[in-house]
Amino acid sequence: MQKSTVVEASIALASGIVAASLGSELASHHVSPAAIVTALLAVVSTGLYVAQQLGQGFRSALYTCPVKGCTASIRAKDTSPAELDRLRSIATDHSKHGGPR
């Protein structure tokens, strides 16, 4: 498991703060405890999901084909520099993954 980035930790902290504020506000309006817990879990889990997705984006490389209309792309994570070069050449050379245009 990789360490959290500052961005991931910030988003997780912010979602916790929002959840606490929301819980306090809902409690002041006499909302049932079950509804409060449900809302808090939704806020925190959404924040953690967003943090994880951003973290994955920061830890990976995305290579796309420069040919207009070609949707080929390669996302690489935890690979060697030599493998990144190989994947980059596959993604950016349209003749290696698609027909001639």
Side-chain angles (χ1 to χ4, degrees):
M1 187 169 169
Q2 294 186 353
K3 291 168 54 172
S4 295
T5 64
V6 173
V7 173
E8 289 174 292
S10 299
I11 291 172
L13 178 64
S15 69
I17 292 170
V18 169
S21 175
L22 176 64
S24 174
E25 186 69 25
L26 290 174
S28 71
H29 290 285
H30 308 292
V31 175
S32 73
I36 293 173
V37 168
T38 302
L40 298 183
L41 289 175
V43 169
V44 171
S45 65
T46 301
L48 293 176
Y49 175 77
V50 169
Q52 185 231 0
Q53 292 300 312
L54 283 174
Q56 291 296 323
F58 290 140
R59 291 185 186 110
S60 62
L62 176 66
Y63 304 113
T64 58
C65 181
V67 174
K68 185 176 175 104
C70 182
T71 59
S73 65
I74 298 173
R75 181 173 300 277
K77 179 181 155 189
D78 298 329
T79 57
S80 68
E83 181 67 4
L84 286 175
D85 288 340
R86 186 182 78 80
L87 294 173
R88 181 184 306 113
S89 72
I90 291 170
T92 57
D93 185 355
H94 187 70
S95 65
K96 291 183 180 179
H97 64 262
R101 285 204 154 190

